Amino acid sequence: MADNIMSKAATMEIPINSNGDTGSLPEDDSLEQKTMVLKIRWLYDLQQVMVSGPNLNETSIVSGGYGGPAGGIIPTSTIKGSLNHNNGSTEEVSRGVAVEKLDSVKKWGINTYKCTKQMFSEKFGRGSRTVDLELEAQIDVLRDTKSKYENILRLATALITHFQNMVQTQQALGDTFTDLSQKSPELQDEFGYNAETQKLLCKNGESLLGAINFFVSSVNTLVNKTMEDTLMTIKQYENARLEFDAYRSDLEELSLGPRDAAAMVRIEMAQHEYHLHREKYERLRSDVSIKMKFLEENKVKVMHKQLLLFHNAISAYFAGNQQQLEQTLIQFNVKLKPPGSDKPSWLEEQ
């Protein structure tokens, strides 16, 4: 920008005396021209200072303004030293963070390369893998069990939807019978006891829905929280197993190579990485074994209670035993939602 303005200044006729001051401008010159002259002089002086200005170590800053006492003069060398020290510290911290990130990316790249190589080697039958037959069998059973329990959840949820529609139909049918019993004197008794029957079926249906909803909620917690948590640990274990085998294969390849000084250094580093990943693999294998043991105990406990609830509630409902159905809900601490609790309040509808 300064060069642009300076080029414009070259085309302007500005009288300057021997002292470097601008000459007197014609009286009809505008204020804008005077301002432009001052700007050009300021930019010119600034450019001169930047090109051949004094050394900052030899300059000083007057803290008390022009004409102030000598005690107010502060050597800029002190300020510069302080700024250089602060800038140096900041640069060192930034450089350290950058180096740390670079090392992290480098390690990640090497680890990804080794694991990918190991994965393809296993896939095409050229590499060996560490296998815990007993644990692998338990993991397969768990995945199969989770899949079957998810199917139970889908079917039970569909049952709730269909049964809820039936209960709503019974409720509407009972209301219609009640209305007709009041408007048809000759059929009042017939409509009346049919209305009572539908209302009783509707009440029992709501109790059964409460039991099935409780069953679904408990199984959902078991499948999508407890089992899923164990499967997440299994996923970490499988990744650790792949890393362990990758570094094991790398160490085996280096051990078969030359034994010069550089190779011995690489072998020592590979042994260090191998031991680290072996410890990680063994730790996660132990975690998986413990979690699967607790999961099996929890699964048996939960499903024993829920299957008993489901059986007793279904049996009591279709046997028409209202008392047994109510006792089943009390036995398993199933609390029914009051009618209309699922509907939004009038404030929410606004």
Side-chain angles (χ1 to χ4, degrees):
M1 179 178 177
D3 293 337
N4 189 21
I5 297 176
M6 292 300 296
S7 64
K8 291 182 178 180
T11 62
M12 298 176 61
E13 295 181 359
I14 303 173
I16 302 177
N17 57 25
S18 59
N19 294 327
D21 297 328
T22 57
S24 59
L25 295 173
E27 295 180 355
D28 56 348
D29 284 347
S30 64
L31 178 61
E32 182 179 356
Q33 290 177 326
K34 295 179 181 180
T35 304
M36 179 62 72
V37 171
L38 294 176
K39 286 183 177 179
I40 293 170
R41 282 206 57 193
W42 180 81
L43 290 172
Y44 177 78
D45 293 340
L46 178 62
Q47 187 181 34
Q48 291 299 113
V49 170
M50 293 175 64
V51 173
S52 60
N55 190 347
L56 290 177
N57 291 326
E58 299 174 356
T59 59
S60 60
I61 298 176
V62 180
S63 62
Y66 292 102
I73 299 176
I74 304 173
T76 56
S77 59
T78 304
I79 300 175
K80 183 179 179 182
S82 177
L83 292 175
N84 288 339
H85 176 71
N86 293 334
N87 291 336
S89 300
T90 305
E91 290 177 359
E92 288 178 1
V93 172
S94 301
R95 190 179 298 109
V97 173
V99 170
E100 183 178 353
K101 289 183 178 179
L102 184 61
D103 290 341
S104 178
V105 172
K106 181 180 178 181
K107 290 179 180 179
W108 174 84
I110 294 173
N111 185 73
T112 303
Y113 167 75
K114 291 181 182 294
C115 292
T116 305
K117 179 182 176 182
Q118 176 67 23
M119 182 175 61
F120 279 104
S121 297
E122 294 177 2
K123 184 176 181 181
F124 293 106
R126 293 195 299 266
S128 61
R129 65 187 299 265
T130 304
V131 179
D132 187 329
L133 294 177
E134 182 180 358
L135 188 60
E136 294 287 342
Q138 293 176 0
I139 292 173
D140 290 340
V141 170
L142 173 60
R143 285 177 171 149
D144 183 63
T145 301
K146 184 174 183 290
S147 177
K148 292 178 179 178
Y149 276 40
E150 287 173 342
N151 191 40
I152 289 176
L153 281 176
R154 285 192 293 269
L155 294 174
T157 303
L159 177 63
I160 289 174
T161 301
H162 297 317
F163 202 80
Q164 195 167 20
N165 291 333
M166 187 183 74
V167 170
Q168 291 174 353
T169 302
Q170 289 174 337
Q171 178 68 43
L173 189 59
D175 293 340
T176 302
F177 283 154
T178 301
D179 182 59
L180 288 173
S181 68
Q182 297 173 357
K183 297 179 179 179
S184 304
E186 66 280 4
L187 296 174
Q188 183 176 7
D189 293 339
E190 288 80 359
F191 279 126
Y193 59 68
N194 274 283
E196 292 297 326
T197 300
Q198 293 301 319
K199 291 181 180 179
L200 179 61
L201 289 173
C202 182
K203 181 180 178 181
N204 292 342
E206 290 176 350
S207 299
L208 179 60
L209 280 174
I212 299 176
N213 276 316
F214 188 80
F215 171 82
V216 168
S217 176
S218 300
V219 176
N220 181 67
T221 300
L222 175 65
V223 173
N224 293 319
K225 291 186 178 180
T226 310
M227 288 186 179
E228 189 63 30
D229 177 70
T230 303
L231 288 173
M232 287 294 294
T233 306
I234 290 173
K235 184 64 177 178
Q236 295 174 1
Y237 156 75
E238 291 174 341
N239 291 336
R241 196 278 310 163
L242 182 63
E243 291 178 353
F244 166 66
D245 282 338
Y247 283 91
R248 177 183 55 80
S249 299
D250 186 51
L251 178 60
E252 290 175 354
E253 290 179 4
L254 290 174
S255 299
L256 297 175
R259 293 286 180 158
D260 55 6
M264 292 303 298
V265 172
R266 289 195 296 269
I267 290 174
E268 184 178 353
M269 294 176 61
Q271 287 177 341
H272 176 69
E273 293 291 338
Y274 165 78
H275 288 300
L276 288 178
H277 286 87
R278 185 180 66 178
E279 291 176 1
K280 180 181 178 181
Y281 164 72
E282 292 177 348
R283 183 180 69 252
L284 284 170
R285 181 176 61 180
S286 176
D287 292 345
V288 169
S289 299
I290 294 172
K291 280 196 172 186
M292 292 191 67
K293 179 181 178 181
F294 286 132
L295 173 62
E296 183 64 24
E297 294 176 356
N298 187 39
K299 182 193 72 174
V300 172
K301 181 180 178 181
V302 170
M303 293 308 298
H304 174 77
K305 176 181 178 181
Q306 296 305 318
L307 290 172
L308 188 60
L309 164 66
F310 190 83
H311 173 268
N312 290 350
I314 292 287
S315 300
Y317 173 81
F318 284 101
N321 193 336
Q322 181 182 4
Q323 184 178 2
Q324 183 181 354
L325 180 58
E326 292 176 352
Q327 289 178 351
T328 299
L329 299 183
I330 294 173
Q331 176 185 357
F332 293 94
N333 197 26
V334 178
K335 297 181 180 180
L336 300 178
K337 294 181 180 179
S341 61
D342 294 335
K343 297 180 180 180
S345 65
W346 65 271
L347 185 60
E348 294 174 338
E349 293 177 349
Q350 299 301 320

